[in-house]
Amino acid sequence: MGRKKSGKYAATKFKGTTQRIRDYLTEVDQSGLTEQAVTWGYEAALMKTSVAFEALMLECLIVALNNDSRAFTEHTSITFPKHMTEKVCEYLVTGGGYFDFKGRAGLLGDVKRVTGGDGHYLYDAVKNRAYLHALQLLLALRNYAAHESPQSKETARQAIVAFRLGLPGKPDKGQLNGAKAPTAAGAWLKRQGRFTYILDTLDALADEIHQGAPY
């Protein structure tokens, strides 16, 4: 029999992954690689971080739905049984596909759909303003690294400016004036401890989830 999914275990597992990513980045920094190779190394670490974060969110959503389906019932207007298997819960969360969301706002929408929103430990943790910029940077820079499209480049530029200015929302035209997007996601992340900031903040989010999860 497989291990029953647990929010606390998912948070602990995530932090184990981020520690391995930190160790990997130390190797990259000390490798003597060219600047281009280091940039790509940081982008590989960014992808691994994004995958680990998606896994954390998916597992916590499955746990939440498995524990209490009332909010999901209200959202869908379909009555679900009190006890469902984890596989059924995963299908309901993902729709039978892979778990994906459009930015922090999209993630909050998915979490609210399953948990009911304010007052649920998972929703409150993801919504916490302390993690706002790290989540925006993670998701925007991941898309920039993956697609290198004009749209992803602009979203990355906005996330960086919002982070730099400490903005609670999107920067306006005046705040964006003169701000350039980095040549690559990894080129921005590898300097001034920026990736460490993202990892530290995501670890703090995982700690909040671990503290709030019932098991």
Side-chain angles (χ1 to χ4, degrees):
M1 182 178 291
R3 177 191 58 80
K4 181 177 176 63
K5 292 190 182 300
S6 154
K8 291 186 182 296
Y9 177 82
T12 300
K13 181 181 178 182
F14 174 78
K15 291 188 67 177
T17 301
T18 59
Q19 182 56 56
R20 290 194 296 274
I21 290 169
R22 292 173 196 271
D23 295 341
Y24 163 73
L25 290 174
T26 297
E27 290 185 40
V28 170
D29 289 337
Q30 297 175 353
S31 64
L33 293 169
T34 65
E35 284 297 309
Q36 179 65 78
V38 171
T39 292
W40 285 358
Y42 269 72
E43 290 184 354
L46 177 65
M47 294 299 181
K48 288 295 185 182
T49 304
S50 178
V51 169
F53 181 72
E54 288 173 1
L56 170 65
M57 291 294 101
L58 176 57
E59 185 142 341
C60 287
L61 286 171
I62 292 170
V63 170
L65 184 56
N66 184 258
N67 190 53
D68 188 348
S69 64
R70 288 175 298 178
F72 197 72
T73 290
E74 183 176 342
H75 177 83
T76 60
S77 299
I78 300 171
T79 301
F80 293 94
K82 184 176 181 180
H83 300 291
M84 295 184 286
T85 67
E86 290 173 353
K87 283 294 184 183
V88 169
C89 291
E90 181 175 353
Y91 180 86
L92 292 172
V93 171
T94 64
Y98 60 89
F99 184 56
D100 191 23
F101 47 85
K102 293 184 178 180
R104 175 177 176 271
L107 174 60
L108 279 170
D110 286 343
V111 176
K112 185 175 183 178
R113 178 168 58 97
V114 172
T115 66
D118 291 326
H120 190 281
Y121 78 90
L122 181 60
Y123 184 81
D124 290 347
V126 176
K127 186 180 178 182
N128 191 331
R129 287 283 184 178
Y131 316 129
L132 168 67
H133 293 298
L135 286 178
Q136 290 179 332
L137 289 169
L138 171 70
L139 301 175
L141 290 169
R142 180 266 173 199
N143 287 340
Y144 185 26
H147 304 295
E148 297 182 350
S149 65
Q151 295 86 352
S152 64
K153 185 175 184 178
E154 175 59 21
T155 301
R157 182 172 79 111
Q158 292 179 13
I160 290 169
V161 170
F163 165 65
R164 185 180 298 148
L165 299 179
L167 302 176
K170 286 186 178 181
D172 59 31
K173 287 185 178 180
Q175 291 163 329
L176 285 168
N177 187 35
K180 295 182 179 180
T183 55
W188 188 83
L189 285 167
K190 69 184 180 182
R191 306 196 186 284
Q192 300 179 21
R194 291 161 177 162
F195 209 137
T196 298
Y197 159 76
I198 292 174
L199 291 173
D200 287 349
T201 307
L202 294 178
D203 279 352
L205 171 56
D207 285 339
E208 184 171 337
I209 290 171
H210 188 283
Q211 183 176 0
Y215 57 88

